[in-house]
Amino acid sequence: QVQLVESGGGLVQPGGSLRLSCTVSGIDFTYSSYIMSWYRQAPGKQRELVASITRGGKTTYSETVKGRFTITREHAADTVYLVMNMLNVEDTADYFCKVRESHFPYETYWGQGTQVAVSE
């Protein structure tokens, strides 16, 4: 059974940093190609894409986090990280890990989420 487990969330002061981790199990990365992404959802707002990375290492970022956040993945492609620097109050949200096949049938899996709170 496919499982995505996030960790690394917590409370941090404005201007601080956090590193989120997402470990994937139940997927054979030697046979399939996946895009790994981080999404976030703040209270009263829709879930939004924060960053994504392909098997080849191509990255994309939302305009609000570009230059502050960095997404990386291990060589085995079973773990993805999100390094968040210069955090501000607007970054407060639940952060979710997602993996999606880069080919048919485009299977998608979500993690349970980890909380990030930026406050004094």
Side-chain angles (χ1 to χ4, degrees):
Q1 181 172 319
V2 176
Q3 286 189 318
L4 282 66
V5 180
E6 300 107 327
S7 63
L11 176 64
V12 64
Q13 292 183 320
S17 300
L18 283 174
R19 187 183 74 161
L20 306 182
S21 301
C22 174
T23 300
V24 182
S25 62
I27 296 178
D28 190 343
F29 289 99
T30 64
Y31 298 134
S32 301
S33 181
Y34 293 85
I35 297 175
M36 307 186 76
S37 304
W38 286 98
Y39 286 73
R40 68 184 182 186
Q41 186 167 21
K45 296 185 178 181
Q46 296 188 78
R47 187 170 299 184
E48 64 173 341
L49 175 65
V50 176
S52 64
I53 185 168
T54 68
R55 182 178 181 178
K58 179 179 174 60
T59 59
T60 58
Y61 298 91
S62 69
E63 290 297 320
T64 55
V65 307
K66 191 175 299 181
R68 299 188 297 123
F69 292 9
T70 303
I71 185 171
T72 60
R73 67 191 295 175
E74 292 186 348
H75 178 264
D78 61 346
T79 303
V80 61
Y81 303 94
L82 184 68
V83 177
M84 305 183 293
N85 297 314
M86 296 177 286
L87 286 163
N88 54 56
V89 174
E90 289 71 34
D91 295 316
T92 296
D94 290 335
Y95 284 72
F96 299 87
C97 181
K98 186 187 82 172
V99 297
R100 180 178 180 269
E101 287 183 333
S102 302
H103 49 81
F104 183 86
Y106 303 100
E107 293 279 1
T108 301
Y109 307 94
W110 289 88
Q112 81 290 342
T114 184
Q115 293 184 336
V116 172
V118 185
S119 178
E120 295 289 351

